[in-house]
């Protein structure tokens, strides 16, 4: 079955069939319907690979994130996928394992596959080779929770404000030795959280103890070790802000092993909400934001950019964060 | 830059370059290296789309599952992706939303995209249109936790044994009114769990009360409602087996709302392990199995099938389940 046969059946030129297959905007609705009817009649199935060869596009959108095992992030992917599917795109998902060389290899692979658009996180936005790969990407790239590459669109959460609220809450309760666990300070979320933590301290006229900050907490095991080491200090913290996403489990496991009671022994605030935070005894105070909305916005903004709408470069959209106060954060009792 | 130029640079025939590009097995290592060197020298970048047109393959493997927001399932995807990437494949991820029409549409889309292999769940293995779409798929399909299509390879967990262990444990503790929450009984996991539940009762010579079975529990909200309705019965259950995956949160939320204490008021066993189960007070007895191993096996078996190795059709691999006994399951006190 060939394009020629479809053209004959529809009574149009071969070029018209091609234009219909490539979604050319100049095709009238009447012509499109006539060609589609002929295709249906002949049982002509569009070969997407052949078609994307001609049109230079694949109807694929790639999403590359550090890791798939961040449960909360599934909400982002689910919503983004729904928006993209509605628009006729299939989502390609890949893990960067938070390594620049993998990010670069993926960008090249996406380009070779003629992916129409990419949404991704970056391990280090300042990395020169990653920057170069991005500039050679030849397709729209939207950054997820990253903010340093001004030419690219981005969707972020207001982690700075979330961390500021959490820290102020603990300071208001009388805590002065607040420990903080964060992830990679090269990346926007952890950097913003640290800014918020410091801003709250500055507003209260209090200098945080640098020995109570643990960064590069990227796994449940990291959180376990960081919590255990903090609780082994001669001068223990009285509150623990587990600001990295999804690290609460490791922290609670360490506190349990060391026999420290959440609430009475130490106040705890989680950097992201979860069933665990909500249903723990006592329930854990947590920062929340709408990851589903982030996914929706990311997909919508990327689609606009892919259509080549006349919009300024480097648009940023930020979803708000809020603090859900529960029983794990209590007044400091000296 | 054309294949012709590469052939000239390498001093080989154009057909040899083609064979190298298509990973033809008959190419000697020496020839492959000579061609690759010439390609590198000329800065020839392989156009995967053009290449897959010629070779009829895309170096894509698709994974289609019900939903992305099953946190535990991320372990499966992560391991499968690692194995596939190692073998030079990119993972395409799609959500079926557990609907046969979406499953059929996805199978067609994968075929059009010349996907090399598919691993997927199915909402209903008996669905005739889905069966037809599978038989027309023209690419290897491996089933994830499904067992009824004998011609297809499959990787399953031994849910029957897990449920049997959990139910026997509760019966041994003296419980006679054990409620069970399961998902879709058309699908292998829930069907197997119900079999295990019944087998344990039969072995103890006890007939389960059919009013204590709630199926089609597919979301946290479903689990909340099912638990609330069970606890509103005149003759309440004394134990709750939340056999559906990742439904523990909804169940615990309902018990808390109704003021029923886990352990003292009702014994609880979770169908899958989680941070929530482990760190709850009291910790929740749970069934565990190795989802990472399932992902690894699935990818490895699919790659073998894609290579066309001489292996029998419809191989099945089952990973074992175990019961982790914790404080939420206690002797029945009449």
């Amino acid at each position: 079955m060939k394009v020629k046969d479809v053209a004959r059946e529809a009574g149009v030129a071969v070029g018209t069939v091609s234009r219909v297959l490539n979604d050319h905007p100049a095709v009238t609705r009447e012509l499109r319907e006539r060609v589609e009817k002929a295709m249906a009649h002949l049982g002509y199935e569009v070969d997407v690979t052949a078609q994307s060869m001609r049109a230079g596009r694949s109807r694929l959108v790639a999403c590359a994130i550090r890791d798939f095992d961040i449960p909360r992030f599934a909400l982002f992917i689910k919503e983004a996928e729904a928006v993209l599917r509605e628009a006729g795109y299939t989502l390609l998902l890949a893990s960067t394992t938070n390594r620049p060389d993998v990010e670069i290899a993926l960008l090249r692979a996406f380009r070779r596959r003629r992916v129409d658009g990419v949404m991704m996180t970056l391990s280090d936005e300042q990395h020169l080779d990653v920057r170069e790969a991005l500039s050679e990407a030849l397709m729209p790239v939207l950054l997820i929770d990253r903010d340093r590459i001004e030419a690219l669109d981005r969707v972020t959460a207001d982690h700075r404000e979330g961390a500021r609220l959490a820290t102020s809450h603990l300071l208001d309760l009388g805590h002065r030795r607040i420990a903080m666990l964060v992830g990679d300070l090269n990346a926007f979320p952890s950097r913003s959280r640290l800014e918020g933590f410091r801003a709250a301290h500055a507003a209260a006229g209090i200098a945080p103890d640098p020995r109570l900050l643990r960064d590069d907490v990227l796994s449940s095991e990291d959180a376990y070790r960081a919590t255990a080491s903090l609780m082994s200090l001669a001068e223990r913290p009285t509150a623990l802000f587990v600001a990295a996403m999804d690290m609460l489990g490791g922290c609670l496991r360490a506190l349990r092993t060391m026999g420290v009671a959440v609430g009475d022994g130490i106040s705890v605030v989680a950097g992201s909400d979860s069933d665990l935070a909500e249903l723990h005894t006592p329930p854990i105070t947590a920062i929340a934001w709408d990851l589903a909305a982030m996914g929706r916005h990311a997909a919508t903004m990327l689609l606009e950019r892919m259509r080549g709408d006349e919009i300024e470069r480097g648009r940023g959209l930020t979803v708000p964060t809020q603090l859900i106060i529960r029983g794990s954060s209590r007044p400091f009792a000296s």
Side-chain angles (χ1 to χ4, degrees), chain A residues 200-278:
Chain A
H201 276 87
I206 293 159
D209 182 345
R211 286 168 301 179
L212 299 183
L213 176 73
R214 300 294 149 104
D215 67 343
D216 267 330
V217 175
L218 297 171
S219 72
S220 201
E221 291 70 35
D222 291 345
Y224 184 97
R225 277 191 297 268
T227 304
S229 106
L230 284 164
M231 298 313 289
S232 306
L233 291 174
E235 260 191 291
R236 278 187 174 187
T238 65
L240 205 49
F241 175 24
V242 196
M245 204 167 163
D246 207 41
M247 295 298 135
L248 181 62
C251 161
L252 294 176
R253 220 169 268 130
L255 291 177
R256 197 171 62 179
T257 305
M258 300 182 81
V260 181
V262 174
D264 292 329
I266 192 163
S267 284
V268 174
V269 175
S272 61
D273 201 15
S274 61
D275 274 356
L276 174 60
E278 188 189 339

Side-chain angles (χ1 to χ4, degrees), chain A residues 22-331:
Chain A
N22 294 334
D23 289 333
H24 195 286
V27 181
T28 64
R29 187 170 159 182
E30 187 254 322
L31 268 180
R32 168 177 306 279
E33 279 172 3
R34 216 203 294 175
V35 169
E36 282 173 353
K37 214 164 134 186
M39 280 164 53
H41 184 70
L42 294 170
Y44 180 91
E45 194 161 7
V46 181
D47 182 326
V48 176
T49 309
Q51 188 188 335
S52 54
M53 270 287 290
R54 286 190 299 269
R57 41 196 201 69
S58 62
R59 289 258 162 208
L60 286 173
V61 166
C63 175
I65 57 170
R66 196 184 84 198
D67 220 328
F68 297 123
D69 61 358
I70 304 172
R72 222 61 194 171
F73 202 74
L75 295 172
F76 177 100
I77 294 173
K78 189 179 175 175
E79 286 294 318
E81 200 246 356
V83 171
L84 291 168
R85 178 149 37 124
E86 182 69 22
Y89 290 87
T90 304
L91 186 69
L92 191 90
L93 210 59
S95 154
T96 67
T97 65
N98 215 36
R99 277 169 46 188
D101 58 329
V102 176
E103 290 160 3
I104 292 165
L106 283 173
L107 279 167
R108 293 205 177 123
F110 294 154
R111 191 178 79 179
R112 283 203 303 268
R113 243 175 243 299
R114 305 196 188 190
V115 158
D116 296 302
V118 178
M119 50 179 89
M120 71 187 300
T121 60
L122 293 173
S123 52
D124 178 1
E125 292 170 272
Q126 317 280 37
H127 199 289
L128 289 179
D129 295 344
V130 171
R131 289 260 188 173
E132 193 183 323
L134 283 167
S135 69
E136 289 169 355
L138 300 178
M139 63 208 159
V141 177
L142 176 141
L143 296 180
I144 305 169
D145 241 349
R146 298 295 183 270
D147 73 330
R148 287 220 165 143
I149 303 183
E150 284 170 15
L152 299 184
D153 290 338
R154 58 196 169 272
V155 172
T156 54
D158 195 351
H159 301 294
R160 187 185 190 281
E161 178 63 5
R164 196 193 63 74
L165 287 170
T167 311
S168 294
H169 169 61
L170 290 168
L171 289 167
D172 289 348
L173 289 169
H175 293 279
R176 292 296 174 266
R177 294 187 58 70
I178 305 171
M180 186 191 201
L181 275 60
V182 280
D184 181 354
L185 290 176
N186 280 322
F188 170 76
S190 292
R191 198 162 18 92
S192 309
R193 286 167 179 142
L194 183 56
E195 281 172 20
F197 180 78
R198 288 187 171 145
H201 276 87
I206 293 159
D209 182 345
R211 286 168 301 179
L212 299 183
L213 176 73
R214 300 294 149 104
D215 67 343
D216 267 330
V217 175
L218 297 171
S219 72
S220 201
E221 291 70 35
D222 291 345
Y224 184 97
R225 277 191 297 268
T227 304
S229 106
L230 284 164
M231 298 313 289
S232 306
L233 291 174
E235 260 191 291
R236 278 187 174 187
T238 65
L240 205 49
F241 175 24
V242 196
M245 204 167 163
D246 207 41
M247 295 298 135
L248 181 62
C251 161
L252 294 176
R253 220 169 268 130
L255 291 177
R256 197 171 62 179
T257 305
M258 300 182 81
V260 181
V262 174
D264 292 329
I266 192 163
S267 284
V268 174
V269 175
S272 61
D273 201 15
S274 61
D275 274 356
L276 174 60
E278 188 189 339
L279 295 163
H280 188 265
T281 308
I284 311 278
T285 298
I287 298 168
W289 66 98
D290 191 344
L291 270 157
M294 276 182 83
R296 225 159 29 239
H297 290 313
T300 306
M301 283 170 69
L302 186 57
L303 284 170
E304 285 166 2
R305 182 68 63 197
M306 282 155 52
R307 276 199 305 268
D309 291 358
E310 289 280 332
I311 32 179
E312 75 280 19
R313 296 174 74 196
R315 289 178 303 164
L317 189 146
T318 303
V319 303
T321 45
Q322 55 166 317
L323 185 69
I324 304 172
I325 296 174
R326 300 193 179 109
S328 67
S329 47
R330 299 187 188 169

